[in-house]
Amino acid sequence: MRKYALIWGLLVLVVIASGCAETIVYKRAGALPPPPPLREEIIIAQPFPATRWVSGHWAWRGRRRGYVWVPGHWRNVY
């Protein structure tokens, strides 16, 4: 009977430890949650010919702030 209790105890310990190990690996790997879906933007008229449109995107700003929307803008080509 003691043998079965020991086996069950070890089995429970392995199951608990495997759940903790998964969480630690997730945090250490630096895996980020997926960003929200992209927003639709209204593209204003091109200010002058030597520019190109840079689309808006989600930028990761750390655990406290999460994802922050960076709006699209016109950028000089030269």
Side-chain angles (χ1 to χ4, degrees):
M1 191 68 176
R2 274 177 78 125
K3 184 177 179 181
Y4 291 116
L6 180 62
I7 291 173
W8 277 106
L10 288 174
L11 181 64
V12 168
L13 183 64
V14 167
V15 170
I16 291 172
S18 67
C20 294
E22 182 178 343
T23 304
I24 292 169
V25 169
Y26 174 80
K27 289 181 181 177
R28 287 188 181 173
L32 300 176
L38 293 176
R39 292 182 177 179
E40 288 189 27
E41 294 183 304
I42 298 173
I43 301 174
I44 57 173
Q46 188 175 12
F48 49 93
T51 58
R52 68 177 175 92
W53 179 255
V54 178
S55 298
H57 62 278
W58 290 103
W60 179 254
R61 298 291 189 226
R63 288 178 51 202
R64 244 179 124 181
R65 292 187 61 198
Y67 284 101
V68 176
W69 179 253
V70 178
H73 58 278
W74 290 101
R75 176 169 287 176
N76 290 338
V77 177
Y78 301 113

